Amino acid sequence: MCGIIGCAGRDGETLDVLVHGLSKLEYRGYDSAGVALSADALDVCKTAGEISELRAALEERELSGTVGIGHTRWSTHGPPTDENAHPHLDCNREVAVVHNGIIENYQTLRDELSTAGHEFRSDTDTEVVPHLVEDELRDGHAPEDAVRRAISRLEGSYAIAAVVAGSDSIFAARNDSPLVLGISDDAYYLASDVPAFRDHTDRVVYLDDGEFAVLNGDGYTVTTLDGEGVEKPVETVDWDPEETGKSGYDHFMLKEIHEQPRALRQCLRGRVDELGGEVDLGDLGDLSPRGVQFVAAGTSYHASLYAAQLFRQAGIPAQAFLGSEYATSVPPIGDALVVGVTQSGETADTLSALREARRRGARTLAVTNTVGSTAARECDHALYIRAGPEFGVAATKTFSSQIAALNLLALAVTSVGDAREVISALRDLPGAVQEILDDSTAADIAETYRDADSYFFIGRGLNYPVALEGALKMKEISYRHAEGFAAGELKHGSLALVTENTPVFAVVTGSDEMATKTVGNVKEVEARDAPVVAVTDGASDVERYADHVLEVPDTHPRVAAVVANVQLQLTAYHTADLLGRSIDKPRNLAKSVTVE
């Protein structure tokens, strides 16, 4: 969601580093931006709108300071206005604070501070923090101690960075919201995500909940909030900063759709033995689950629905739960393995579900794309999908890589009679996806149905989660109404919405009973004059009843869903592009949802 950047040690380059870092965080979703530089006094500039608006405002200002912080805000408390943009200041303009998360007791604190004479300029929960620091400074506490004491009064989730006039340090703390330090030979950085400073260093320190960091031009320290020293490992980021660019594509989303063959190869590399029919997932140990509960949100939930079917097919009870529901209404766990599927490893709803599962004694596994993420650190085990950085808000290559990784997990811990065939299909999957990318006619389909009233997506079995994902992609980036259904459920009410201006995308692969039944559902749609787009390998003969066909290569049923999904990604992308939508940063959405 919101983005944080901080820099110490770059002197006259600090402002450029901050603005560049914010531009690298645009993918997270935001509606305002701002920076604060600190020296003997504070210089602050913030605006509603995109970073281009901030750049324009900075051209009319001359900011100076030796350390600084910056922020991109995704609105929670109060609309996107200049006043609500971060950084927020105290009454004396001596303290500047940026914050990700939600301060749950902010209203109590705000009432207390207002009664004491503090004046508030914004609608945000964040603004209580600089005023709390102001009070601590007035009571004679040094800046570092004042920030610590202020933060100790907060309840809720936060990643906070603060600067104080007259101090050459940045003070930062986290609780349930990510914060990472960047370490170079002559400068130090902090951010909500590594891309903000990856152009400057590949050495990072991930903060944990309850930790407090101080950065200046001479170095950094990490302690608990109470001041007890903490030894933190310095890790190395294994992806190149060039991966954060568009590489000539019009949008990050299109680039990432085309990166799927490479991402899948990275996911599979070193993990499959095709000749032996075996999967090696390294040090996960002997999981041997008697049951599996998946917890996830959004696209990751669709991948979890897919994975739960794989385990059930292998005779292991498995269910997929929305993290937000699981955390507040936990089903019986018993000795089930609880698997959190989260691209960022920071999704608040999924983390809450995993923590509740651990509190009840369950073993936990994180399936994530982000090394060092909260989910990876807090779970008993972590399986990385290795998709590389993803910047488009709409997940594409991470969904494909999640399905590949979850296939590997199922193969590693269950007995599958055709394991060799599945592994062979997984090894061929990057080539099959590339074939779609080379030959897809999705752009033509998008042109034909760009003005549709609504879009329906149907599928059965492993194709049902793909139908859900296809609808989600269309909603996310085209802003058009779209729904995904289990194909057999269409006639139980939703068929009333089908019209000649409601294209139905039917995902039909193979020629088994499920495919035959889905063809029957297609006939029901056809009989009501709705156009049908069949996403198919041709095995079921469904194209006889379709107005258009998006072809997919013939492959194993376990991986056919991945290939079909690419056609739906491309259809959503081209539809949104034709409609002139903000594809990488769709309205109201954020890449990493770090609040519940």
Side-chain angles (χ1 to χ4, degrees):
M1 297 178 74
C2 308
I4 288 175
I5 178 66
C7 174
R10 293 295 294 269
D11 296 331
E13 300 174 315
T14 301
L15 180 58
D16 290 340
V17 170
L18 294 179
V19 176
H20 179 71
L22 292 180
S23 72
K24 292 293 187 178
L25 295 174
E26 287 189 285
Y27 72 95
R28 293 172 68 91
Y30 72 105
D31 45 42
S32 61
V35 294
L37 271 62
S38 175
D40 293 335
L42 296 183
D43 269 344
V44 178
C45 183
K46 56 182 186 174
T47 64
E50 297 191 351
I51 289 173
S52 58
E53 301 290 330
L54 176 64
R55 291 184 190 274
L58 286 169
E59 289 179 359
E60 301 176 4
R61 300 277 305 278
E62 193 167 326
L63 274 62
S64 63
T66 56
V67 297
I69 53 177
H71 191 265
T72 52
R73 175 179 184 253
W74 187 79
S75 299
T76 54
H77 293 73
T81 63
D82 289 359
E83 292 79 11
N84 288 335
H86 297 215
H88 288 288
L89 304 172
D90 66 321
C91 294
N92 299 320
R93 296 183 63 89
E94 294 180 346
V95 181
V97 170
V98 295
H99 161 236
N100 291 351
I102 293 179
I103 298 171
E104 295 173 356
N105 62 333
Y106 91 96
Q107 192 62 60
T108 300
L109 294 171
R110 183 171 178 138
D111 291 345
E112 173 191 318
L113 290 161
S114 295
T115 300
H118 290 268
E119 295 184 5
F120 286 80
R121 304 178 182 91
S122 78
D123 305 311
T124 70
D125 54 335
T126 303
E127 196 181 356
V128 301
V129 182
H131 290 287
L132 290 172
V133 176
E134 178 186 5
D135 275 357
E136 299 295 342
L137 291 170
R138 184 184 298 126
D139 289 343
H141 296 288
E144 178 179 339
D145 192 32
V147 177
R148 287 182 188 275
R149 293 171 67 90
I151 290 174
S152 70
R153 299 196 59 191
L154 306 180
E155 297 173 7
S157 63
Y158 55 77
I160 286 175
V163 290
V164 179
S167 170
D168 64 353
S169 296
I170 302 173
F171 310 102
R174 72 155 280 174
N175 186 61
D176 287 344
S177 193
L179 205 56
V180 58
L181 309 184
I183 314 302
S184 70
D185 293 337
D186 57 358
Y188 301 88
Y189 310 87
L190 68 86
S192 49
D193 203 357
V194 173
F197 56 69
R198 179 62 186 87
D199 287 335
H200 308 296
T201 182
D202 63 355
R203 291 184 289 152
V204 300
V205 173
Y206 295 99
L207 296 187
D208 289 307
D209 287 347
E211 292 181 344
F212 186 93
V214 181
L215 297 80
N216 55 44
D218 297 322
Y220 70 97
T221 60
V222 180
T223 64
T224 65
L225 195 55
D226 294 330
E228 182 179 346
V230 179
E231 291 294 327
K232 303 289 293 183
V234 178
E235 303 182 33
T236 301
V237 176
D238 62 358
W239 45 268
D240 192 279
E242 291 186 3
E243 293 186 58
T244 65
K246 294 181 184 176
S247 302
Y249 290 93
D250 290 338
H251 299 93
F252 277 114
M253 183 181 179
L254 185 59
K255 175 196 173 192
E256 288 155 3
I257 289 173
H258 281 263
E259 285 178 339
Q260 287 178 111
R262 184 178 70 174
L264 289 165
R265 291 187 188 97
Q266 290 173 172
C267 178
L268 300 171
R269 186 174 296 125
R271 290 171 164 173
V272 293
D273 176 1
E274 189 171 343
L275 292 178
E278 297 177 347
V279 170
D280 181 4
L281 296 181
D283 59 357
L284 287 187
D286 182 16
L287 296 176
S288 300
R290 296 185 180 180
V292 182
Q293 293 180 352
F294 293 92
V295 292
T299 288
S300 296
Y301 174 67
H302 300 156
S304 297
L305 287 170
Y306 171 95
Q309 290 193 48
L310 298 185
F311 278 85
R312 291 197 297 269
Q313 289 173 6
I316 296 178
Q319 293 174 281
F321 298 90
L322 292 165
S324 56
E325 293 293 319
Y326 186 99
T328 55
S329 183
V330 183
I333 295 175
D335 59 358
L337 174 69
V338 179
V339 181
V341 185
T342 160
Q343 184 278 135
S344 67
E346 305 291 349
T347 307
D349 293 328
T350 304
L351 288 174
S352 292
L354 288 167
R355 286 165 180 162
E356 183 60 26
R358 292 201 72 188
R359 192 181 72 80
R360 299 191 181 208
R363 292 176 300 156
T364 55
L365 167 68
V367 178
T368 181
N369 193 38
T370 311
V371 177
S373 62
T374 301
R377 296 196 308 275
E378 291 188 1
C379 286
D380 299 310
H381 308 280
L383 174 60
Y384 295 108
I385 67 172
R386 301 176 180 172
E390 183 177 69
F391 295 95
V393 166
T396 51
K397 67 176 180 177
T398 53
F399 178 69
S400 297
S401 296
Q402 282 173 342
I403 287 185
L406 290 166
N407 256 296
L408 295 178
L409 178 64
L411 288 166
V413 301
T414 67
S415 298
V416 180
D418 61 347
R420 282 187 174 83
E421 288 81 1
V422 176
I423 290 173
S424 178
L426 286 169
R427 292 290 296 270
D428 292 340
L429 182 55
V433 171
Q434 188 62 57
E435 186 175 334
I436 295 291
L437 297 173
D438 292 341
D439 301 330
S440 177
T441 58
D444 297 331
I445 302 296
E447 179 67 52
T448 301
Y449 297 113
R450 61 183 294 179
D451 296 320
D453 293 335
S454 187
Y455 302 84
F456 284 0
F457 297 78
I458 62 173
R460 288 177 183 260
L462 294 174
N463 288 330
Y464 168 49
V466 171
L468 295 176
E469 178 63 10
L472 179 60
K473 286 295 151 288
M474 186 65 80
K475 283 184 279 195
E476 282 180 308
I477 63 171
S478 77
Y479 311 157
R480 290 294 177 84
H481 177 257
E483 292 294 335
F485 303 94
E489 289 298 297
L490 190 63
K491 60 183 174 290
H492 293 287
S494 299
L495 201 58
L497 300 175
V498 170
T499 72
E500 61 184 13
N501 205 29
T502 308
V504 178
F505 290 75
V507 185
V508 190
T509 56
S511 57
D512 59 7
E513 183 182 4
M514 284 190 292
T516 300
K517 289 182 178 295
T518 307
V519 172
N521 302 130
V522 167
K523 292 177 182 178
E524 294 167 353
V525 169
E526 182 195 32
R528 287 153 179 85
D529 296 324
V532 175
V533 180
V535 185
T536 182
D537 53 13
S540 64
D541 209 24
V542 67
E543 58 268 28
R544 290 181 56 188
Y545 311 102
D547 298 272
H548 305 275
V549 175
L550 289 170
E551 297 180 356
V552 300
D554 181 30
T555 185
H556 194 281
R558 293 265 294 244
V559 300
V562 180
V563 187
N565 176 66
V566 177
Q567 289 282 27
L568 300 183
Q569 291 173 348
L570 289 167
T571 301
Y573 170 81
H574 288 297
T575 301
D577 194 35
L578 287 168
L579 295 172
R581 306 306 194 210
S582 177
I583 291 175
D584 289 333
K585 296 175 285 183
R587 67 188 183 199
N588 303 330
L589 300 182
K591 181 62 176 175
S592 177
V593 183
T594 55
V595 296
E596 294 183 71

